[in-house]
Amino acid sequence: MSTLKVNNIQTAAGGSNSTPEQIEQGRAKVWIKMNGTGTIAINDSFGVSSIADNGTGFYTINFSTAFASTNYCPVTALASYLLADSDRRYPLHIDQVETGLCKVLQAEVANNSSANDGNFICVAIFGDQ
């Protein structure tokens, strides 16, 4: 078996640039698993420069490289928070998108409940940068 070592992979026309690291990490341009309770922290990520706590259940995810437009596709996972009597899981909602960041909110919107800090928050973002 041969080994191919390259810095970038492109189409024959020179477009769709990908690095081996991007391919290894998956084709999502940005992804994050974070803890949103107490002092928030990134557990693992790709393409994220920092996060911010905007209050209970509200978070900002800042991108290392801005997207070309706000037409990217953010995908969220369920977030959970712990109570003394149970572990509850509520949807994570995209609250705002900008080329350099997105803001997310964890709340059970259907029941008009208040937002809650999540201890397990995952977001992946696909689009052109």
Side-chain angles (χ1 to χ4, degrees), residues 5 23 28 34 57 84 90-92 100:
K5 295 182 179 183
I23 293 169
M34 62 179 273
Y90 290 118
L92 190 61

Side-chain angles (χ1 to χ4, degrees), residues 29-50:
K29 298 290 178 40
V30 173
W31 60 262
I32 185 169
K33 179 183 179 223
M34 62 179 273
N35 180 343
T37 61
T39 301
I40 64 172
I42 297 172
N43 299 111
D44 200 1
S45 69
F46 181 78
V48 173
S49 61
S50 63

Side-chain angles (χ1 to χ4, degrees), residues 96-112:
Q96 179 179 342
V97 295
E98 297 179 21
T99 57
L101 61 87
C102 77
K103 294 184 179 184
V104 295
L105 161 66
Q106 182 198 344
E108 187 180 19
V109 177
N111 293 333
N112 294 321

Side-chain angles (χ1 to χ4, degrees), residues 59-76:
Y59 310 98
T60 298
I61 301 167
N62 296 295
F63 311 141
S64 299
T65 301
F67 281 84
S69 73
T70 57
N71 293 325
Y72 55 82
C73 179
V75 180
T76 64

